[in-house]
Amino acid sequence: MGKNALIDLILDPQSFFAEKMTREESLKVPALILLAMGIVSGIGAAIVSSVTVQMLPPEAASMGGLIAGIGFVAAIISVFILWWAIPSVLFFLLSRVFSGTGSIKRTFEFVAYGMIPQIASGIISTGIFYVYFTSLRLSPITDPMLIAEEMEAIMQSPMLQMATLISLLFILWSASLWIFGMQEAHRLSRRNAAITVGIPVALYIIYTVVTFWGM
Amino acid sequence: MKRIACILLLLCCCAGIAAAQDSAAQVAVTTVVMDPGVLMRGDTATVTVVVTNNGSTAVAISRAVLIDSDLSVLNENSYASVGNLGAGNSMTFTFSIRADVGDGIYYPKFYLDFRNAGSLRYRIPVKVDSTPLQVSVLSRPDSFQQDAKATVTLKVGNPRQNELNGISITPTGTGVTAVQTGYFVGNLAADGSATVSFDVTPTQSTDLVFTVSYRNGLNQHTSEVVVPIELMSGKKQAEPLLNNIEAASEGGYYRVTGDVTNAGLETAYSVVIFADSPAVPVDPFRVYVVGALDPDDFSSFEVTFQADQDSAPIVVQYKDVDGNLFSSTTAVKLGSAGAADASGDELPIGMIALAAVLVLAVGGIIAYTWKKK
């Protein structure tokens, strides 16, 4: 994926996906995109894990490196599952409601291209996590039942709330790309493509807002 | 004949005068009383003079005065006209004098003018001595401690030649209270003394002033003695210290644990530990009671409280053997992100600016791609 292709994806996604339709279906570049996104997310998860592990009892806190590593790997795997497989399957199924004709592989491919803004989002979020969590000092909590409560209190920080809002903004950007992608992949009208993408994305945004701000 | 009559009349007058002078010679000052006996500068005293007619005939007294160039006589003209003093009778004359002079002995003159028979002059010695009542500190503690009761003992002595009356002692001072608001000694004879003790409790370094008021006759006087109070820790006083302190945040409150050690030479009694304002003690350990702590002994403690700040004052309160209450405060750094800490952060300006730029950039790109045909 060249520089011009990236510019096309950002500024003229319809032409980008139309051009991709003329080519063989391939998941090599999409997989690398998801891997890059996974690494960025993994770094962010490792930062959060390495700091929040301070709340654990001293004997558990000594395994801070291992816990950060587990957080890193878990983040990569979750990116592939939550951010690639699930939306691709959902878009594929919903496109079928509107008589979409594209294959599941093409859907995976275009969903991955639509994930490129999430790499930028991940870098920004990781930066915010680093600034916030490295300035945070936590003391061990003797009652493990209270750790979740403490984490919930931490997540109410304005900085972390702002990071969530920024991630939702980039989700909207990805949704915009996915609409163009699904329109081309499944030969849908712009409206049907918007519904295909809009329903899962809207549900995700609603879920995020409700769980994060309790609305 | 006429000449003879004049001579007889003159002889009769001379005989009358000689008889009057004989009678006046029988009048004498029998008693002089001064109150007070010895004056201080500025004092007022009464001088009472008693004269007695020891003769067999009455004596006519024209006036009685007390005269002195140094002392002031306040009722000079009280006896400007007196009258007859019968045979064997006495008459009392009282004068008020004021001693606006330096120390010494003065001799005002008492004049008793007889009608047609000369006068009686009598010098009265008046002593003026300004030596005041002496007050000295008999005993006081080596060091005063804040909020600890201490005893100060005073010795009140009368170095004067006369008795002093109405002696009372009052302690005053900013930041110091006394159990005894005052002490009435009463009178002190010449060279007499009295011992008085006061239990005082200072709250700050100050001057403790003992004001001694007394009367010399009718004249009020005061003396003062100042006892400087410099607060300091007692040499052997108990000294509980906190160490090995650990602070932990536990779901809405903090738990501070540590050791309290008595680094003093006396036992600390009734040692209690708690978090002070602005921290708010909460269950289960609002107050931790350690009890008695011997010198070089230590005990662990645990307190729980809520706090919004990064540190909280932990108070160690204890008593000495006399029940005096002492306390010391140690600021404990909490250093943990409790619920209040995490949600209380303010959003940095740079963060807001970044969000605004991203909204404009991403929004602009999305709008651009959707308008592009």
Side-chain angles (χ1 to χ4, degrees):
Chain A
M1 188 176 173
K3 181 181 173 185
N4 290 336
L6 181 62
I7 293 172
D8 279 346
L9 174 64
I10 293 171
L11 298 179
D12 191 3
Q14 190 160 23
S15 300
F16 174 82
F17 287 116
E19 194 271 336
K20 285 291 176 189
M21 286 296 289
T22 63
R23 298 190 184 186
E24 193 82 9
E25 293 172 347
S26 172
L27 295 179
K28 285 181 184 176
V29 174
L32 290 175
I33 291 170
L34 265 295
L35 182 63
M37 183 184 165
I39 291 171
V40 172
S41 299
I43 293 171
I47 291 171
V48 175
S49 301
S50 64
V51 176
T52 54
V53 75
Q54 296 172 13
M55 288 191 297
L56 296 177
E59 57 272 19
S62 62
M63 298 187 297
L66 178 63
I67 292 172
I70 292 171
F72 180 80
V73 174
I76 292 176
I77 294 171
S78 66
V79 161
F80 275 88
I81 295 172
L82 298 177
W83 288 98
W84 197 14
I86 291 177
S88 297
V89 171
L90 285 174
F91 294 162
F92 178 78
L93 295 176
L94 283 169
S95 70
R96 284 292 181 266
V97 175
F98 301 108
S99 304
T101 57
S103 68
I104 185 72
K105 189 175 181 181
R106 183 67 80 185
T107 306
F108 266 82
E109 183 184 3
F110 283 7
V111 166
Y113 284 122
M115 282 292 178
I116 281 182
Q118 296 307 309
I119 297 175
S121 173
I123 292 170
I124 293 169
S125 295
T126 301
I128 293 173
F129 287 166
Y130 180 78
V131 170
Y132 178 73
F133 281 98
T134 53
S135 65
L136 200 63
R137 284 174 300 153
L138 299 170
S139 296
I141 295 178
T142 54
D143 186 355
M145 298 296 289
L146 296 173
I147 291 179
E149 190 178 331
E150 186 83 358
M151 280 302 296
E152 191 177 334
I154 290 171
M155 294 308 288
Q156 294 301 315
S157 161
M159 283 188 74
L160 298 187
Q161 291 185 6
M162 184 60 80
T164 305
L165 283 175
I166 290 171
S167 72
L168 291 179
L169 178 68
F170 279 84
I171 287 286
L172 290 176
W173 189 3
S174 289
S176 172
L177 296 181
W178 288 330
I179 290 171
F180 290 112
M182 294 305 106
Q183 185 182 359
E184 293 297 326
H186 297 284
R187 304 295 177 196
L188 298 174
S189 65
R190 177 74 59 86
R191 175 177 165 276
N192 289 342
I195 294 171
T196 300
V197 173
I199 290 173
V201 170
L203 289 174
Y204 172 77
I205 291 174
I206 291 169
Y207 171 78
T208 304
V209 169
V210 168
T211 55
F212 208 84
W213 284 281
M215 292 178 180
Chain B
M1 185 64 187
K2 192 176 182 179
R3 186 176 295 173
I4 293 170
C6 289
I7 292 170
L8 286 174
L9 185 62
L10 188 62
L11 287 173
C12 287
C13 287
C14 290
I17 291 169
Q21 284 179 337
D22 287 343
S23 298
Q26 299 302 313
V27 175
V29 174
T30 53
T31 308
V32 175
V33 177
M34 278 195 60
D35 183 26
V38 181
L39 285 76
M40 298 173 77
R41 186 185 179 95
D43 278 2
T44 300
T46 57
V47 180
T48 304
V49 181
V50 179
V51 294
T52 305
N53 181 4
N54 296 313
S56 56
T57 58
V59 176
I61 299 173
S62 175
R63 66 183 184 124
V65 291
L66 189 68
I67 300 171
D68 192 80
S69 58
D70 298 315
L71 301 173
S72 303
V73 180
L74 303 178
N75 57 339
E76 264 185 307
N77 299 317
S78 293
Y79 304 102
S81 176
V82 178
N84 292 331
L85 176 62
N89 290 343
S90 295
M91 188 171 281
T92 301
F93 303 95
T94 303
F95 299 93
S96 295
I97 59 171
R98 189 172 64 234
D100 296 319
V101 292
D103 291 0
I105 303 175
Y106 300 85
Y107 296 92
K109 285 174 283 189
F110 174 70
Y111 274 94
L112 197 62
D113 284 345
F114 299 109
R115 195 173 298 152
N116 303 322
S119 62
L120 172 68
R121 280 178 285 182
Y122 187 85
R123 285 189 177 273
I124 300 169
V126 174
K127 292 180 182 176
V128 178
D129 180 4
S130 297
T131 304
L133 191 71
Q134 294 294 311
V135 187
S136 52
V137 179
L138 208 59
S139 68
R140 51 168 289 180
D142 289 342
S143 59
F144 288 92
Q145 292 150 37
Q146 188 173 12
D147 298 325
K149 192 163 64 180
T151 301
V152 177
T153 304
L154 303 178
K155 186 86 167 178
V156 184
N158 179 13
R160 296 178 59 77
Q161 298 174 33
N162 63 314
E163 183 183 80
L164 295 174
N165 305 96
I167 301 169
S168 63
I169 306 171
T170 308
T172 54
T174 305
V176 59
T177 57
V179 174
Q180 301 85 359
T181 55
Y183 196 99
F184 183 74
V185 177
N187 63 328
L188 272 183
D191 293 328
S193 65
T195 302
V196 179
S197 293
F198 287 91
D199 296 318
V200 297
T201 306
T203 57
Q204 64 183 56
S205 294
T206 184
D207 283 339
L208 175 60
V209 180
F210 290 100
T211 304
V212 184
S213 60
Y214 57 95
R215 280 188 292 109
N216 183 30
L218 295 174
N219 307 283
Q220 192 73 33
H221 295 274
T222 57
S223 291
E224 285 185 353
V225 62
V226 179
V227 178
I229 292 181
E230 192 72 30
L231 295 183
M232 58 181 72
S233 56
K235 295 173 183 173
K236 296 181 178 179
Q237 184 185 349
E239 191 178 357
L241 299 176
L242 300 184
N243 49 33
N244 193 26
I245 294 174
E246 290 184 3
S249 174
E250 299 192 0
Y253 66 83
Y254 291 95
R255 180 186 298 268
V256 170
T257 59
D259 296 332
V260 54
T261 307
N262 183 4
L265 297 177
E266 293 178 344
T267 301
Y269 297 92
S270 305
V271 178
V272 293
I273 301 171
F274 56 89
D276 202 3
S277 178
V280 180
V282 296
D283 290 329
F285 294 104
R286 291 174 179 271
V287 177
Y288 195 92
V289 181
V290 176
L293 207 56
D294 291 329
D296 299 332
D297 197 4
F298 77 96
S299 169
S300 60
F301 72 91
E302 189 170 4
V303 290
T304 50
F305 56 87
Q306 289 178 330
D308 293 331
Q309 281 74 26
D310 291 337
S311 67
I314 303 297
V315 177
V316 182
Q317 209 170 65
Y318 64 97
K319 294 178 181 177
D320 64 6
V321 70
D322 295 323
N324 294 315
L325 189 64
F326 299 89
S327 67
S328 62
T329 303
T330 304
V332 172
K333 199 167 182 58
L334 302 175
S336 176
D341 294 335
S343 59
D345 293 344
E346 290 186 2
L347 200 58
I349 297 296
M351 191 75 183
I352 297 171
L354 172 67
V357 169
L358 288 174
V359 167
L360 288 175
V362 173
I365 290 171
I366 293 173
Y368 176 80
T369 56
W370 279 75
K371 285 182 180 176
K372 194 177 178 68
K373 291 186 178 178

